[in-house]
Amino acid sequence: MAYSDLRDFITALEKAGELKRVPFEVDPVLEITEFADRSVKHNGPAFLFERPKGYNMPVLINAFASQRRMEIALQVDKFQDIADRISDYLQMQMPQGLLGKLSMLPKLAEMGAFFPKKVSGGPCKEVIQKEGFNLKEIPVLTCWPQDGGPFITLPMVFTKNPETGKRNCGMYRMQVYDERTTGMHWQTHKQGAEHYRRRFKAGEKRMDVAVAIGADPAAMYAAILPLPPDLDEMMIAGFLRKKPVEMVPCETVDVDVPANAELVLEGYVELGEMRTEGPFRDHTGFYSLEDEYPVFHVTCVTRRKNPIYATTVVGPPPMEDYFMGKAIERMFLPLMRMQIPEIRDMCMPAEGIFHNLMLVSIRKSYPMQARKVMHAVWGLGQAMFTKCIVVVDEDVDVQNYSEVAWKALNNIDPQRDIEFAMGPIDSLDHSSRMANWGSKFGIDATKKWKEEGFTRPWPDVITMPGDVKARVDALWKKAGL
Ligand SMILES: Cc1cc2nc3c(=O)[nH]c(=O)nc-3n(C[C@H](O)[C@H](O)[C@H](O)COP(=O)(O)O)c2cc1C
Ligand SMILES: [Mn+2]
């Protein structure tokens, strides 16, 4: 059964021994971060801080911060199950004959069940505050010492594409400026920013935005998925939870939000209004610098009677976001392989913060294929940001970093095997020559072929034959080892 809301998920985490309640006062200024950071670095639990100092709203953190918790969130034994389900749909072919058509019915019915369902009310409307609300009553964390202030870090930000009317949900952090305004940190390559640009160009004055904080875990998680524009994150959430996400209209803006949300901030972004946002200690483990971003004006807060505030903290890896990203890596592999079929496996190590490093193994069938793969990755959605792509042959296990380093470094003549390219770079990159764009490179660490101009012999990797190993297994015991 799909989780009905955040509380249902919390109960599941608690039952699995994955969540610790902290009944005493802990300060949302820095102290909760220190708890969360220590826990994730030592395979510790998620936390429910029942008494954040100065507030009477509990704080949930690290709810997705391990592989096990991600599996609990998405209700699978392993991510491969989701990848397999995706592959199943991708392989669905035009049915042959009546029997074939009939056999597809269950799948089609299942697909119909993913679509979000519009409802007229829900728990997120238990309290409706068009006046008298105050963002300072939410225990928003000040995460790190040099942060520009408190930041809402796990929001589901809903906007509409003015041209197609389609919904987008992205997770973009929000710096709390005062009782009713925040920053809106949608980076320039993201969908929220695209909606903003289109409306600005069309001469609109205001853009409706709604932010849900805390909902069922599949819906929350869907907000970070790197989906193509106009593909509704809430539909994918329905696929993940195998049950439609119920969406309810906001009170003051023309946007729908998940009805089971803990807390909803309704409001608008004034087109053209910018304000300094940051600094913020980011995914990269460095402070992202101050920059100009749009401002979100809250017009109404709707919420549960006693909401739970869901948040996360990012910083030097690995942190909670690494585990969220790892699940994306596993789930999106079949989709990636649909467009770049020679890819066998792919890995984004924690130290690469998603956008800095991708290890890819391929089945190489023609000369220069590694370079084709690099350019294909750079042309694939948010993978465009990848600063370094290492391409290896299919016999290399890319989940094993030391094997990749060993084999790749042996296999390259750097001047010959490195491909440089120029293009968009993640907004968080502090080293690119300009914000948002710069250079990237790929390393062709595959075996080089004669057809690629390599005429020297290529040696095999050293291995011991199996029969020798078996004989020594016995002798090993005989020697008392
Ligand atoms: C914890 C967390 C915080 C994030 N904060 C931001 C942010 O502040 N700005 C941003 O543009 N992307 C941020 N992201 C990444 C986006 O959520 C992600 O790129 C998403 O796919 C964007 O969705 P979109 O393609 O619909 O815009 C964050 C991701 C996570 C996991
Ligand atoms: Mn999107």
Side-chain angles (χ1 to χ4, degrees):
M1 275 292 283
Y3 298 121
S4 53
D5 52 19
L6 186 70
R7 288 139 203 260
D8 209 8
F9 174 42
I10 291 175
T11 307
L13 287 174
E14 214 165 8
K15 265 200 199 133
E18 291 284 338
L19 179 126
K20 175 125 187 90
R21 286 176 186 267
V22 180
F24 47 83
E25 275 200 346
V26 180
D27 201 331
V29 179
L30 308 187
E31 284 181 6
I32 289 186
T33 295
E34 183 60 21
F35 264 89
D37 191 24
R38 278 192 205 187
S39 183
V40 75
K41 301 274 192 306
H42 297 95
N43 307 315
F47 293 115
L48 186 66
F49 291 97
E50 293 176 332
R51 292 177 55 207
K53 191 172 168 189
Y55 300 88
N56 47 25
M57 197 185 293
V59 173
L60 175 71
I61 197 162
N62 278 4
F64 300 97
S66 73
Q67 186 180 322
R68 183 75 198 109
R69 262 167 264 156
M70 275 305 316
E71 290 161 353
I72 294 171
L74 301 179
Q75 298 180 287
V76 290
D77 293 329
K78 45 189 183 347
F79 302 137
Q80 192 56 40
D81 297 349
I82 303 174
D84 291 346
R85 274 182 72 211
I86 294 175
S87 297
D88 267 9
Y89 282 103
L90 295 178
Q91 278 159 18
M92 223 158 71
Q93 283 166 356
M94 275 306 281
Q96 300 282 322
L98 187 62
L99 272 180
K101 284 185 178 121
L102 284 177
S103 72
M104 270 181 80
L105 284 178
K107 265 242 129 55
L108 291 177
E110 202 183 308
M111 269 168 93
F114 305 154
F115 290 93
K117 195 167 131 195
K118 195 136 173 171
V119 295
S120 58
C124 74
K125 305 279 190 187
E126 283 172 8
V127 177
I128 297 176
Q129 294 173 289
K130 290 189 182 161
E131 302 287 338
F133 57 82
N134 180 355
L135 300 181
K136 301 247 156 148
E137 286 168 7
I138 306 170
V140 181
L141 306 190
T142 300
C143 299
W144 299 100
Q146 291 172 42
D147 280 4
F151 286 80
I152 297 171
T153 50
L154 215 49
M156 305 160 70
V157 178
F158 290 90
T159 56
K160 263 192 200 167
N161 181 336
E163 286 167 20
T164 61
K166 297 268 171 123
R167 152 169 60 226
N168 190 70
C169 173
M171 186 166 287
Y172 319 119
R173 73 173 186 234
M174 295 156 57
Q175 178 172 2
V176 177
Y177 293 130
D178 57 43
E179 292 75 5
R180 14 179 86 222
T181 48
T182 77
M184 187 48 80
H185 190 258
W186 47 49
Q187 294 155 5
T188 193
H189 310 103
K190 308 298 171 72
Q191 286 311 301
E194 181 62 24
H195 294 179
Y196 176 99
R197 275 190 295 272
R198 290 190 187 180
R199 290 180 185 278
F200 197 36
K201 217 168 155 198
E204 292 183 29
K205 297 277 173 279
R206 283 182 171 186
M207 166 174 176
D208 284 355
V209 179
V211 176
I213 307 172
D216 70 275
M220 289 169 77
Y221 183 65
I224 73 162
L225 297 179
L227 304 180
D230 280 357
L231 179 55
D232 185 3
E233 280 81 5
M234 294 303 105
M235 201 258 281
I236 303 300
F239 168 81
L240 289 172
R241 68 201 293 266
K242 300 180 185 164
K243 197 178 170 191
V245 178
E246 297 191 338
M247 302 294 289
V248 64
C250 283
E251 301 298 310
T252 60
V253 290
D254 181 23
V255 184
D256 297 345
V257 287
N260 67 18
E262 294 291 315
L263 198 61
V264 176
L265 313 179
E266 304 182 1
Y268 62 89
V269 162
E270 191 118 356
L271 301 170
E273 184 190 12
M274 302 292 255
R275 183 165 168 176
T276 303
E277 200 264 7
F280 177 70
R281 189 160 175 169
D282 230 306
H283 304 272
T284 57
F286 291 84
Y287 285 93
S288 52
L289 307 173
E290 289 182 355
D291 202 354
E292 298 299 303
Y293 273 90
V295 182
F296 177 54
H297 298 270
V298 181
T299 49
C300 175
V301 172
T302 77
R303 59 175 174 85
R304 290 174 182 249
K305 271 200 201 82
N306 297 299
I308 296 170
Y309 175 66
T311 192
T312 186
V313 53
V314 295
M319 299 212 64
E320 184 165 15
D321 57 318
Y322 165 68
F323 296 96
M324 299 169 92
K326 190 73 189 171
I328 294 182
E329 177 197 295
R330 294 296 88 202
M331 281 161 45
F332 276 61
L333 184 61
L335 294 165
M336 206 168 167
R337 289 179 59 172
M338 214 170 102
Q339 312 207 32
I340 319 174
E342 57 270 61
I343 289 187
R344 312 314 296 166
D345 196 8
M346 183 268 276
C347 179
M348 293 183 286
E351 294 78 2
I353 332 289
F354 314 127
H355 56 264
N356 284 340
L357 182 60
M358 185 185 289
L359 314 176
V360 186
S361 57
I362 64 165
R363 174 173 296 166
K364 182 162 147 180
S365 312
Y366 49 81
M368 290 286 142
Q369 197 169 358
R371 302 201 187 219
K372 174 259 189 179
V373 168
M374 293 169 198
H375 289 280
V377 169
W378 286 324
L380 196 63
Q382 290 183 42
M384 68 176 159
F385 299 129
T386 315
K387 206 195 276 197
C388 174
I389 304 173
V390 183
V391 185
V392 292
D393 286 310
E394 61 183 320
D395 62 309
V396 182
D397 174 11
V398 290
Q399 305 300 332
N400 180 342
Y401 313 152
S402 77
E403 182 182 344
V404 174
W406 157 48
K407 290 187 175 165
L409 292 167
N410 267 297
N411 281 0
I412 58 167
D413 173 317
Q415 199 177 33
R416 181 195 60 206
D417 294 333
I418 293 179
E419 174 92 352
F420 284 100
M422 204 61 97
I425 288 280
D426 195 290
S427 303
L428 301 181
D429 189 288
H430 57 246
S431 62
S432 55
R433 61 204 72 191
M434 298 282 284
N436 300 319
W437 70 273
S439 70
K440 35 192 113 188
F441 71 114
I443 303 177
D444 175 359
T446 59
K447 174 177 171 174
K448 302 300 159 342
W449 292 5
K450 200 159 71 287
E451 296 85 341
E452 293 173 323
F454 188 81
T455 49
R456 299 174 59 208
W458 192 277
D460 290 334
V461 174
I462 299 171
T463 53
M464 186 59 78
D467 57 326
V468 178
K469 285 192 169 187
R471 282 202 305 279
V472 171
D473 280 346
L475 296 174
W476 190 262
K477 275 203 198 103
K478 197 171 167 190
L481 292 164

